[in-house]
Amino acid sequence: MEKGIREMFTRRVQRARRYRALILAASTFVGAAAIQPAFAEVAPYDLVTPVAEYKIYVTESVQKLVTETRAFTEAVKAGNLDKAKALFAPTRTHYEAIEPIAELFSDLDASIDSRADDHEQAEKDPGFTGFHRIEYGLFEQKSTEGLTPYADKLMADVLELQKRIASLTFPPDKVVGGAAVLMEEVAATKISGEEDRYSHTDLWDFDANSAGSKKIFDLFRPLIEKDDKAFVSKVEANFAKVDKILDKYKTKDGFETYDKLTDADRKVLAGAVNTLAEDLSTLRGKLGLG
Ligand SMILES: [Cu+2]
């Protein structure tokens, strides 16, 4: 029953101890998704176009990720602290946008995007690499010193990701399930500000995570719209609610730091994202993928 989504959760739980609480939440969603009948009108063939279009979206995002990671890592290696700090958040958005399918490249997800507490010796752990290791140097130690090997590794990992994406098949259940899992991760853990704990650029990530999940929803929406208008409207209203809160914190270059988010807004945001996660988790069932 619901093996795909359970595996997805399992792997994510393995990736980070902090997901432990999600198992409970997951089983609730799995139960809900399992009893959801698929709409008779959705044939497997109907999934081909949205999946193909999603692959284009991912390919384009990864192309931007490669270009911007090059500029970011070059700034790090050149010792240009201010420039590297300024490029950190915008560069990451192209990775965060494709995070719904991170499970399809979980080894690279770990080396590109893991947090210090995914590693035994935290910040001192030699296995702690990627964006957040560099973030630690730039924003916490306020220096580019010693970051060259991490910059080189990040660039190599991002190029490897691009290579892999090119030949990757995208199983529709993983794509659709991934959007729900990511929203659940935002609601359960990212909402604490744990992801960008040194730079506090979390709102950039939320925006990209939400856009990346909405992209998936938008691509599959035509298949369910006729049969479940109320569902579609509800999901759209919650995506709009998330956008509206994020809009309040937009600056001319991006977003305010996470500490500016008021408790009231954080609550509304968490509520909307939680409901999105629940609703999106029924999408697989609705599409006959359950
Ligand atoms: Cu991330």
Side-chain angles (χ1 to χ4, degrees):
M1 179 187 80
E2 295 296 319
K3 197 159 162 274
I5 213 161
R6 187 163 292 174
E7 267 173 14
M8 213 177 284
F9 269 102
T10 309
R11 243 167 270 167
R12 289 239 147 184
V13 166
Q14 282 165 346
R15 186 171 79 94
R17 278 157 294 166
R18 65 183 181 279
Y19 294 139
R20 212 161 277 159
L22 288 187
I23 297 171
L24 260 184
S27 56
T28 316
F29 294 155
V30 165
I35 52 163
Q36 191 78 41
F39 295 122
E41 290 80 4
V42 180
Y45 179 79
D46 296 332
L47 302 169
V48 173
T49 303
V51 168
E53 281 179 25
Y54 184 62
K55 185 161 180 172
I56 294 171
Y57 172 79
V58 171
T59 303
E60 287 173 354
S61 300
V62 172
Q63 182 51 55
K64 288 180 205 150
L65 178 67
V66 166
T67 306
E68 293 186 27
T69 301
R70 188 163 284 127
F72 170 61
T73 53
E74 274 168 10
V76 170
K77 290 167 71 176
N80 195 335
L81 181 64
D82 289 340
K83 189 174 177 191
K85 282 168 83 171
L87 293 180
F88 171 75
T91 302
R92 284 177 48 69
T93 59
H94 308 297
Y95 186 79
E96 294 296 305
I98 62 159
E99 218 176 12
I101 53 154
E103 191 236 349
L104 298 177
F105 41 82
S106 54
D107 57 325
L108 287 172
D109 186 44
S111 61
I112 291 173
D113 198 36
S114 66
R115 329 285 201 260
D117 42 33
D118 294 330
H119 304 275
E120 215 163 290
Q121 300 170 61
E123 280 88 356
K124 290 193 180 64
D125 202 297
F128 177 37
T129 61
F131 277 115
H132 298 299
R133 176 59 185 84
I134 298 175
E135 179 197 8
Y136 172 66
L138 299 177
F139 293 87
E140 188 77 19
Q141 303 184 307
K142 301 180 172 55
S143 165
T144 56
E145 220 186 292
L147 293 182
T148 291
Y150 298 111
D152 286 338
K153 165 102 174 107
L154 177 63
M155 192 64 231
D157 286 340
V158 163
L159 286 169
E160 168 64 20
L161 176 64
Q162 184 177 45
K163 209 172 96 194
R164 251 197 252 172
I165 293 285
S167 57
L168 197 66
T169 346
F170 287 32
D173 63 321
K174 303 262 163 158
V175 173
V176 172
V181 171
L182 179 60
M183 286 296 99
E184 175 57 21
E185 186 188 336
V186 173
T189 61
K190 291 186 182 216
I191 197 80
S192 70
E194 58 82 27
E195 177 147 26
D196 303 294
R197 66 190 67 171
Y198 319 108
S199 63
H200 311 294
T201 54
D202 305 82
L203 294 178
W204 299 70
D205 285 17
F206 289 3
D207 184 52
N209 287 160
S210 169
S213 297
K214 176 140 196 306
K215 180 72 191 179
I216 293 171
F217 175 72
D218 284 342
L219 289 173
F220 288 90
R221 186 182 53 197
L223 301 179
I224 53 166
E225 210 154 35
K226 281 198 309 295
D227 300 284
D228 210 341
K229 251 201 159 69
F231 172 80
V232 168
S233 315
K234 189 182 170 209
V235 171
E236 282 180 339
N238 276 307
F239 273 123
K241 205 186 256 182
V242 171
D243 278 350
K244 206 176 148 198
I245 291 182
L246 293 176
D247 275 350
K248 286 167 70 175
Y249 296 91
K250 266 199 179 129
T251 62
K252 81 173 180 358
D253 302 316
F255 290 93
E256 302 269 18
T257 50
Y258 196 54
D259 47 285
K260 303 268 177 11
L261 190 74
T262 64
D263 282 348
D265 281 343
R266 189 186 295 220
K267 256 188 211 138
V268 178
L269 192 63
V273 173
N274 233 322
T275 312
L276 275 173
E278 271 175 53
D279 287 342
L280 291 175
S281 75
T282 67
L283 202 50
R284 294 167 77 246
K286 290 181 194 297
L287 293 167
L289 297 165

